[in-house]
Amino acid sequence: DAGVTQSPTHLIKTRGQQVTLRCSPKSGHDTVSWYQQALGQGPQFIFQYYEEEERQRGNFPDRFSGHQFPNYSSELNVNALLLGDSALYLCASSLVWTEAFFGQGTRLTVV
Amino acid sequence: AQSVSQHNHHVILSEAASLELGCNYSYGGTVNLFWYVQYPGQHLQLLLKYFSGDPLVKGIKGFEAEFIKSKFSFNLRKPSVQWSDTAEYFCAALRRDFGNEKLTFGTGTRLTIIP
């Protein structure tokens, strides 16, 4: 049973560019959440998708957007990248009111 | 707003020492509580969770945590640590409001075990 898988594992982008990160949830899970983990910090909630809709959002600007597909996989898009967007981006999947399972993350470096 | 506080930023222990990592949360309603561990180069893994019932919960690898509602605390303990416990530990809280499933993490505690 595959766990949560994310791609790519590492990415280097230039300021101002756009990036798309991908996530496949654990088999059987229908809810996908995205987190940003800066160096030395705990993960910060970006948003959550359920039934292909954004159900909840954290304190992130509109430059951060997402999508969930009918097969429950998800994408995180970040536009107009800033140096401060450099971080580990984590995807987590779950069912309602259960624990979240995390992927390995995508390390994004903005130069 | 809900928050989670971890009091220890970096803890250094010798093998076989006892461990206690502090965690406090700010939300007064019903919460689910978790401890996650992040070993070097690996993804976040669930150590243990509290949903309801017995406030003393046991997790993997000999870890346990005690939920004390009156103190808004969920401290992680292990009687005797091993070198392989070296990792980053995160406490997290999930509010149980309908439509609100945001998992809030603490800033983490880096645990270093000296052989």
Side-chain angles (χ1 to χ4, degrees):
Chain A
D1 176 27
V4 180
T5 57
Q6 294 186 241
S7 63
T9 54
H10 295 84
L11 204 51
I12 300 175
K13 288 287 189 177
T14 305
R15 272 182 304 175
Q17 285 189 314
Q18 179 263 344
V19 68
T20 297
L21 311 181
R22 295 177 176 81
C23 172
S24 292
K26 182 177 169 64
S27 178
H29 285 183
D30 57 8
T31 301
V32 173
S33 303
W34 287 92
Y35 295 81
Q36 181 195 67
Q37 186 178 13
L39 207 59
Q41 299 295 317
Q44 297 291 312
F45 177 79
I46 302 175
F47 43 54
Q48 182 182 82
Y49 278 84
Y50 174 71
E51 293 188 343
E52 301 180 51
E53 291 197 359
E54 183 183 292
R55 182 161 65 174
Q56 194 173 0
R57 189 179 184 90
N59 295 325
F60 281 80
D62 292 344
R63 297 186 298 109
F64 289 76
S65 64
H67 189 77
Q68 186 179 35
F69 299 95
N71 66 354
Y72 306 121
S73 67
S74 177
E75 289 182 349
L76 164 65
N77 300 293
V78 187
N79 295 322
L81 284 167
L82 304 174
L83 295 179
D85 295 330
S86 295
L88 181 67
Y89 288 85
L90 298 169
C91 173
S93 73
S94 63
L95 294 169
V96 177
W97 304 134
T98 65
E99 65 268 28
F101 288 78
F102 285 82
Q104 291 267 22
T106 294
R107 173 73 61 187
L108 172 65
T109 302
V110 182
V111 298
Chain B
Q2 176 180 304
S3 67
V4 176
S5 302
Q6 291 183 242
H7 317 298
N8 314 102
H9 184 63
H10 189 190
V11 173
I12 302 172
L13 295 172
S14 299
E15 274 192 318
S18 64
L19 169 71
E20 181 159 3
L21 301 182
C23 172
N24 286 91
Y25 63 96
S26 65
Y27 182 60
T30 304
V31 293
N32 296 340
L33 296 163
F34 307 87
W35 276 97
Y36 283 87
V37 61
Q38 192 169 35
Y39 297 104
Q42 295 189 28
H43 62 283
L44 276 169
Q45 301 172 40
L46 183 69
L47 264 183
L48 47 77
K49 62 186 178 185
Y50 174 77
F51 277 33
S52 64
D54 188 345
L56 184 62
V57 293
K58 296 191 184 298
I60 61 172
K61 305 186 181 187
F63 286 91
E64 64 179 32
E66 185 175 12
F67 169 57
I68 303 179
K69 189 174 182 178
S70 61
K71 295 185 178 180
F72 296 88
S73 71
F74 190 57
N75 292 354
L76 181 71
R77 299 195 292 248
K78 185 171 184 178
S80 176
V81 294
Q82 300 172 307
W83 177 79
S84 58
D85 294 325
T86 295
E88 188 97 23
Y89 292 80
F90 294 95
C91 181
L94 178 67
R95 285 173 54 169
R96 295 199 63 174
D97 299 337
F98 180 76
N100 182 346
E101 284 197 55
K102 184 176 72 171
L103 195 58
T104 301
F105 283 86
T107 52
T109 297
R110 192 196 317 170
L111 177 64
T112 301
I113 305 300
I114 302 171

